Amino acid sequence: MGKVIAVCISEKKGTQKHAVPSAKFLPDWGIENDAHAGKWHRQVSLLSHDKVEAFRARGAEVASGAFGENLVVEGIDFAALPVGTRFRCNDVLLELTQIGKECHSHCEIFKKMGECIMPTQGVFTRVLKGGEIAEGDELVILPPALRAAVVTASDSGYVGQREDLSTPAAVELLEAAGYRVVHTVILPDDRAMLGAELKRLCDGDLADLILTTGGTGFSRTDCTPEATMDVVERPAPGIAEAMRLNSMKITPRAMLSRAAAGIRRQALIVNLPGSPKAVRECLEYILPPLSHGMDILKGTTGNCAR
């Protein structure tokens, strides 16, 4: 847990940042009116307050923002945290993308002191969710985000004859639920290829939750459930049953879904329909309760008994 000591921006590149009472953080952009905002991985920079104070104790006269930092935070050693760490402050959600950076043109601080702490102690983040941060607000470190992968089965999508709309829908809902989507791929309706990809993701510990879309119906080429059951070590039938039950409230055709779910090693595989609308309906229903199951699978909580 940390406390925001200063919020800083610079309206033009090449000028020193200055403290403002508060600032608006924009998703996948950065701070409103800050010259360094944009669609890249270094949208917001953070610096530990104690590192600044230690530098000042050596005789450096530096104001907040002098190192190019957007947020000065007390109580957190940012440089000691791994890339991928997430922070929450009010409604704002940040994800650590880079620790330090090479300084190609030495700043005024370097010229006076012979060094600058930003290249080694500063960290950079991207804005996952927007909102407002003000001086004095509390910033907390969130538990590591679970990793998700989306594997789409589609012959026409694989050869580029059909636009894949189900994957973006799944990614959107996964990220909103706090997952970090690390991999997406479109494969043909090929049982061996699908099984090999699912096995690779599980055995390589590349994802915690693997969603498949498509290939769960009655078509001769639909084989996603078979590919899934080829690789799972422990079936989890309740998940697919719950999706069918919920979808039956919308259309009786939901009973035709052959979707399956199961666990291999430390990863959960869940089959979803191929329709973007159905993907949304299923994920909106299962993601909230699924979080408890994922915590148990990853060993971060225990089974509950009443």
Side-chain angles (χ1 to χ4, degrees):
M1 183 182 299
K3 178 182 178 182
V4 177
I5 301 300
V7 182
C8 309
I9 64 169
S10 56
E11 289 81 1
K12 294 182 179 180
K13 290 184 178 180
T15 61
Q16 183 173 305
K17 294 189 186 299
H18 58 89
V20 293
S22 65
K24 185 176 181 181
F25 289 65
L26 306 176
D28 196 27
W29 185 256
I31 300 178
E32 187 177 50
N33 299 322
D34 184 63
H36 294 88
K39 285 189 173 295
W40 66 324
H41 67 290
R42 301 208 307 252
Q43 295 169 354
V44 178
S45 55
L46 295 85
L47 192 58
S48 303
H49 179 61
D50 65 315
K51 306 298 182 184
V52 178
E53 288 300 297
F55 201 77
R56 285 173 177 157
R58 296 169 50 195
E61 296 181 4
V62 291
S64 295
F67 297 101
E69 74 277 15
N70 291 119
L71 293 178
V72 181
V73 180
E74 182 181 58
I76 298 177
D77 184 1
F78 291 111
L81 299 172
V83 169
T85 301
R86 294 187 174 193
F87 310 95
R88 184 175 295 282
C89 184
N90 303 325
D91 292 329
V92 179
L93 181 62
L94 304 174
E95 182 180 60
L96 181 60
T97 57
Q98 182 175 319
I99 301 171
K101 74 178 183 73
E102 186 177 354
C103 186
H104 297 286
S105 58
H106 294 315
C107 61
E108 292 301 317
I109 296 174
F110 185 93
K111 293 175 182 178
K112 292 179 181 179
M113 300 295 295
E115 67 173 303
C116 176
I117 59 174
M118 195 65 184
T120 58
Q121 300 299 325
V123 302
F124 300 88
T125 64
R126 65 188 183 104
V127 183
L128 300 182
K129 187 177 179 182
E132 189 167 320
I133 295 179
E135 179 183 329
D137 286 344
E138 182 181 277
L139 184 141
V140 297
I141 302 173
L142 298 178
L146 291 174
R147 302 159 300 166
V150 182
V151 178
T152 295
S154 171
D155 285 335
S156 56
Y158 182 69
V159 296
Q161 294 178 349
R162 181 179 181 181
E163 183 182 3
D164 174 28
L165 299 177
S166 59
T167 297
V171 169
E172 178 187 336
L173 291 173
L174 284 166
E175 291 183 338
Y179 288 85
R180 182 162 57 97
V181 179
V182 296
H183 177 69
T184 63
V185 66
I186 302 176
L187 296 176
D189 291 296
D190 183 287
R191 182 170 174 173
M193 288 182 66
L194 290 168
E197 178 68 359
L198 296 177
K199 185 177 179 181
R200 183 185 73 86
L201 292 170
C202 294
D203 294 358
D205 190 25
L206 302 177
D208 305 301
L209 174 63
I210 303 166
L211 301 179
T212 71
T213 71
T216 60
F218 280 20
S219 171
R220 180 182 58 82
T221 59
D222 288 338
C223 61
T224 305
E226 286 74 25
T228 299
M229 298 312 294
D230 284 343
V231 302
V232 301
E233 298 167 338
R234 294 185 289 159
I239 298 172
E241 291 167 1
M243 289 192 297
R244 277 187 283 269
L245 181 63
N246 183 65
S247 296
M248 283 287 289
K249 301 173 185 176
I250 302 168
T251 172
R253 291 185 179 180
M255 69 180 182
L256 303 178
S257 169
R258 300 187 306 107
I263 298 166
R264 181 181 177 91
R265 298 199 176 188
Q266 291 289 299
L268 173 65
I269 304 170
V270 178
N271 297 160
L272 297 174
S275 157
K277 179 176 180 294
V279 165
R280 289 184 176 277
E281 292 167 354
C282 289
L283 283 182
E284 287 171 352
Y285 184 68
I286 68 168
L287 280 178
L290 194 61
S291 63
H292 179 63
M294 292 303 300
D295 287 341
I296 294 174
L297 180 62
K298 305 306 293 184
T300 56
T301 190
N303 286 289
C304 57
R306 299 183 185 274

